[in-house]
Amino acid sequence: MGGPVEQGVWGSVGAQGVRGEHTRGGGGGGAVPGARGVVQRASVRGQVLDALRAALVAGELEPGEVYSAPVLGERFGVSATPVREAMQQLALEGAVEVVPNRGFRVVRRGERELAELAEVRALIEVPVVLRLARSVPGERWAELRPLAEATVRAAGAGCRATYVEADRAFHRGVLGLAGNAELVRIAEDLHRRAQWPLVRDVAGLVADAAEHVALLDALIDRDVDVARSLVREHFRVR
């Protein structure tokens, strides 16, 4: 566990916000005894989970390295418990694996696994988008314009953590038009797993974001042939 790597994580995700949330957790009355503490604990865990996900995408948590919950907790200014709970969630997502009596090892994800994830995503998302292209009116697609533009801004700024959130939001918005919550949940889980390590450089992110805009333009124009070409290209492994 290299110190410089951990410092990068905390410096980039705002550990002070997590620390402040933690220190407010002791005491205070309420209509339901203990409810405030439970809510705040969940809030701390959520903030730690978001920070760890951002660190994975940025490459600040290195594949193959083992990280202990107590040490990470010290860096965040929280106890090891919310860190351990966040890491358990990442283990369920396949991002880390438990190393008994040591902590959690960041999983190495090779080109083949990333290609397989892209293939599964394509099998799910491409048919759905093409079906929606034939049935959803242009004005509904136009409502997603801010989501596509957000990916363009994030890519142009070179902020990977912001880009991955904007990227998922755009795909979630598109698939949400199918009205199938389970579809959205499964697709987003696959999408999140495919986002780390984020191997593309800034130019690659800009190209991906441009594809979002081009696809949306085709969908607004009800041009199914162009939409088909663009959505298939979007899932090509790069």
Side-chain angles (χ1 to χ4, degrees):
M1 296 176 57
V5 172
E6 291 169 4
Q7 280 298 111
V9 174
W10 322 130
S12 64
V13 298
Q16 291 295 332
V18 178
R19 182 178 296 110
E21 203 56 46
H22 177 69
T23 55
R24 289 199 299 272
V32 181
R36 184 164 179 253
V38 172
V39 170
Q40 289 183 347
R41 176 177 171 181
S43 178
V44 172
R45 182 173 63 247
Q47 291 180 61
V48 172
L49 180 58
D50 288 344
L52 291 172
R53 283 172 172 162
L56 282 168
V57 170
E60 294 172 341
L61 291 178
E62 298 182 358
E65 291 294 317
V66 177
Y67 297 87
S68 78
V71 171
L72 296 181
E74 288 179 7
R75 297 285 184 172
F76 276 119
V78 301
S79 71
T81 298
V83 177
R84 191 172 290 111
E85 291 172 344
M87 282 292 200
Q88 292 288 357
Q89 176 58 39
L90 290 176
L92 292 175
E93 296 174 4
V96 301
E97 57 188 10
V98 178
V99 180
N101 302 318
R102 291 185 61 196
F104 301 84
R105 178 184 290 112
V106 178
V107 173
R108 293 187 183 277
R109 190 162 282 167
E111 291 184 5
R112 177 171 179 173
E113 185 175 359
L114 291 172
E116 289 174 349
L117 284 168
E119 181 180 10
V120 175
R121 287 187 63 209
L123 289 171
I124 292 174
E125 295 195 38
V126 172
V128 173
V129 172
L130 295 180
R131 174 169 60 84
L132 293 173
R134 298 181 179 91
S135 60
V136 175
E139 56 268 23
R140 293 293 307 280
W141 292 117
E143 293 172 1
L144 301 182
R145 178 76 67 186
L147 298 179
E149 292 174 347
T151 68
V152 173
R153 289 194 300 273
C159 181
R160 295 187 170 205
T162 302
Y163 179 81
V164 297
E165 294 295 333
D167 186 30
R168 284 203 309 277
F170 174 75
H171 283 263
R172 186 166 59 243
V174 170
L175 296 179
L177 294 176
N180 186 327
E182 192 66 14
L183 165 70
V184 173
R185 184 189 66 77
I186 292 172
E188 182 152 14
D189 177 65
L190 289 167
H191 194 170
R192 189 187 297 280
R193 290 170 60 193
Q195 285 181 317
W196 65 265
L198 193 58
V199 295
R200 292 189 292 282
D201 56 16
V202 172
L205 299 184
V206 170
D208 279 357
E211 288 177 0
H212 291 158
V213 175
L215 174 61
L216 196 58
D217 287 341
L219 292 169
I220 290 171
D221 293 339
R222 308 293 296 275
D223 192 331
V224 177
D225 290 336
V226 172
R228 180 184 297 107
S229 175
L230 287 168
V231 75
R232 287 176 175 169
E233 173 66 17
H234 193 63
F235 285 103
R236 182 174 60 84
V237 178
R238 305 159 203 247

